[in-house]
Each structure stands twice: as structure tokens, then as C-alpha cells.
Amino acid sequence: MTSPNPAHARISVIGAGPGGLTCARILQRHGIAVTVYDRDAGPDARNQGGTLDLHADNGQIALREAGLLDEFFRLARPEGQEMRQMDLTGRITSHQVPEPDELFKPEIDRGQLRDLLLGSLEPGTVRWGHGLDRVSGPAQGPRLLHFTDGTTVETDLVIGADGAYSRVRPAVSPAVPEYSGVSFLEAWFSDVEARHPEIAELVGQGGAHAADGERGMFAQRNSNDHIRVYLIQRAPADWITVSGLTPTDTGAIRALLLERYARWSPRMKQMITDNDGPYVDRPIFALPVPHTWEHNPTVTLLGDAAHLMPPLGVGVNLAMLDASDLALALANAATVDDAVHAYEKTMLPRSVETAQALEGAAEHLLATEFPDFGDDDPQH
């Protein structure tokens, strides 16, 4: 099969996260038709996670190509760039306060970013309730998308933007995510100024981190008077089950955490004891390094599907830059095959270099020195 011109190709994006939606938006701005498939029943099917910072040298570049940068700045929280490093008593040992006009990496909630991108797309672009099972068909195309409801769709290009456990990735790579040895447990705090004023004061307007070498805490101020705290431990991925518990055993998990954080001050342990609702278990996985694949003219990957890394400030920013690069390549190439070649020539070396720099860096989350958490909460 001859590779089609992108303007006449059937292009399918799998995954309606920031990367997939950014790709679709930029394609549509260039007059290229695209369909996005997502397993969720609808845009409000689940909570989209915590807060992100979008950097001027990657995430914001993608938003500029999407024509959404000004709208992003209207929604973003520049004050969220504040970062605090604390000791086990809650004493601030390092404090980064943004200048009033600092816009290098302002914060935005994941849900707000997704809504911004969704609202920019042509009606009907996203097909909800389409969980991908697998991709079949010859490498030269056309490809066949097999969905979990038994339906199929024929397409000329499959873009895997479906995250850590991508169902597109097996079409080009056998790689699977590997456990980093570090696990997050997420805790939520709502109406913090009224209900959790001490935690609100401790965290400030941005992020706050403390660690003792074996365990740590990272707290993030979100919009709407909300704070998320990630309790970080070096532990087996199934540590809750090994302890004879389930993720819904909030009281028993809390008691176990209080034993493990026994050296921490009562002030800091409020972030273990005062959360609203159950904890959320989030072990940290990453793809093997380096992760590359042989070029395929009808399938490619972006974001975590291509280069899942520890949450140290690169995930969403790289996914959106990938999306922009791929969409622009499709807008400027004679064939889909040429576009995928051009995109991967840029994306793969960049992702390999970044992944090598962050290999094993989940351990940094437990270090007493302040790590650059950057854009990522652990929602991959």
C-alpha cells in the first residue's frame, strides 16, 4: 500500500489525555481530519488528577501551536510555582518564591487543561467509550483497531497516546513498564483554608517536599481550595496486599504509615491522618531505558506510551511537545510515512536522552535534597 497524503488519511489517536488532545487540536488547525478514541464513558467519567506546570520551552510551545496559550495563561496559577523544602518538623529549609510576572512554568489542574483542549476540538472528534484492545493489520496498512466492545475501525495511522499501559505500543515494541521500587500513596484534602488550615499554611501556594532518605512527602496546592499529598516510600509494588490489607482499609493503612513515619513531627503527620476519604495507591513504573522501536509507517507513539519516566517534571510537557511535533510533521509532509519518519527522528533521541538522565531517579523523591518535581503528579 502506498502511504497516503495526511490530508486524505484516516488518522486515529488513541487516548484523550493532554498529548492526544493536543495532537488532535493542532491537526485540525491545519485542516487535517482526526478521530480520538478513549476508553472513558465520557469526559467526566473520572477525576483527572492533580496539578501540572507547563514549561515555556516545551508544554507552552505546544499550546502556542494549538492557539491556546492565552487561554492557558488565563486559567493558570503563577503563584503555584512556589516550592518549599522542609525538614521532618515542617521547618522550611529552602524556599523558591516566583516573581510576580514569572510565567516560565505556571500551574494548571489536569482537569482544567483537559477541558481547555476538549473545548477547542470540533464536535464529535472524541469517541468516548472506545477502549482499545489491540491493533492488527499489515505494517504498510491499513490498520484495524479492535475495541473491547467488539467493534472495529479501519485506519491509515494509529497514534498511541494511551499512557503507561498503552494498547498501541505492542504493535511496535514489546517493552512493558517496570516497577521503580518507589511507591506513592495519594491523600486528598478539600476546603483546606477552612477545614485544614494548618496543612494549608504548611504547603503554601505551590508545592512542599520533605524526605528522610527512606520515605517522603510531596504536597501540591490545586485550584478550588484543594491539596493533594503524595506519601512516598521505598516499598514493594504490592506492599498494601503484602501487609494483609486492601486500598480501602484506610484506618489500618493509616496506622501502618504512622509507624513508618514515627520520626516525623505531629505537624507533618497531619498529612497522613487528616485526609478526606481513602488513600489512592500509585506505585511508580517506568519503561526500560533506552526505549526505541523500528520505524513503522502506520503506527507511532507519544507521551508515556513512548517514554514513561518517573514523575520528575517531564511527563505532560514532553507528551504535549511530542504531540505538537507529530501534528506539524503531518501538516508538512507529503505522506504519512514521511511524517512519522520526521517526527521519530526528533522525538526518539530527545526521549532517550531525557530517560537516561532520569533512569533510577525515582529514588530522588526520597532524598533530603529538593528534587525538581516539575509538571508531574503521578497520574500517567
Side-chain angles (χ1 to χ4, degrees), residues 333-350:
T335 69
V336 166
D337 190 8
D338 290 342
V340 173
H341 259 300
Y343 161 66
E344 291 177 352
K345 185 178 179 180
T346 297
M347 182 275 291
L348 286 172
R350 177 176 65 214

Side-chain angles (χ1 to χ4, degrees), residues 26 29 56 59-70 73:
I26 298 174
R29 287 196 88 204
Q60 290 182 36
I61 291 173
L63 284 177
R64 183 177 297 109
E65 293 292 345
L68 299 173
L69 191 59
D70 288 343
F73 284 134

Side-chain angles (χ1 to χ4, degrees), residues 13-283:
V13 174
I14 309 301
L21 296 177
T22 299
C23 187
R25 164 65 177 177
I26 298 174
L27 285 173
Q28 289 184 346
R29 287 196 88 204
H30 287 270
I32 297 176
V34 59
T35 304
V36 180
Y37 298 94
D38 195 272
R39 65 184 178 184
D40 284 348
D44 302 318
R46 59 188 174 91
N47 188 287
Q48 291 302 302
T51 186
L52 311 162
D53 58 8
L54 295 189
H55 299 189
D57 54 1
N58 37 46
Q60 290 182 36
I61 291 173
L63 284 177
R64 183 177 297 109
E65 293 292 345
L68 299 173
L69 191 59
D70 288 343
E71 291 182 59
F72 162 72
F73 284 134
R74 283 194 287 271
L75 293 169
R77 295 177 287 108
E79 68 277 9
Q81 296 169 101
E82 178 188 0
M83 298 298 289
R84 299 178 176 187
Q85 173 72 35
M86 301 181 294
D87 63 18
L88 305 192
T89 72
R91 180 178 65 89
I92 296 175
T93 59
S94 176
H95 196 184
Q96 301 173 17
V97 181
E99 295 296 329
D101 60 348
E102 175 60 64
L103 292 175
F104 179 71
K105 51 178 184 176
E107 297 279 340
I108 187 170
D109 284 12
R110 277 182 176 265
Q112 291 176 312
L113 176 62
R114 193 193 205 197
D115 288 346
L116 172 63
L117 291 162
L118 280 172
S120 74
L121 297 176
E122 297 171 6
T125 299
V126 181
R127 307 286 176 84
W128 300 104
H130 282 71
L132 185 70
D133 178 56
R134 61 189 174 91
V135 179
S136 71
Q140 297 301 315
R143 291 292 193 156
L144 199 62
L145 304 175
H146 299 258
F147 295 103
T148 54
D149 64 0
T151 60
T152 59
V153 170
E154 193 174 80
T155 190
D156 299 310
L157 175 63
V158 187
I159 299 171
D162 50 342
Y165 297 98
S166 170
R167 302 311 295 262
V168 178
R169 189 190 299 126
V172 293
S173 167
V176 295
E178 299 172 351
Y179 181 52
S180 67
V182 174
S183 188
F184 280 31
L185 199 65
E186 181 179 328
W188 298 359
F189 301 81
S190 300
D191 303 320
V192 294
E193 296 296 341
R195 300 183 60 231
H196 305 286
E198 292 188 15
I199 291 175
E201 181 183 8
L202 195 65
V203 174
Q205 295 304 306
H209 172 259
D212 64 10
E214 288 294 322
R215 59 202 60 78
M217 294 180 181
F218 180 62
Q220 285 183 318
R221 175 80 66 154
N222 292 198
S223 62
N224 299 318
D225 205 24
H226 186 80
I227 286 175
R228 290 174 190 257
V229 174
Y230 303 101
L231 306 169
I232 310 166
Q233 304 177 76
R234 186 182 292 110
D238 59 351
W239 68 273
I240 293 177
T241 304
V242 168
S243 301
L245 305 173
T246 70
T248 60
D249 294 329
T250 303
I253 292 173
R254 182 175 289 135
L256 184 59
L257 290 169
L258 288 172
E259 291 180 12
R260 296 183 177 185
Y261 285 79
R263 294 175 49 226
W264 294 54
S265 71
R267 186 184 184 204
M268 296 292 280
K269 284 190 284 192
Q270 290 179 93
M271 290 192 274
I272 297 173
T273 60
D274 293 5
N275 51 303
D276 301 322
Y279 304 102
V280 181
D281 187 30
R282 299 198 186 283

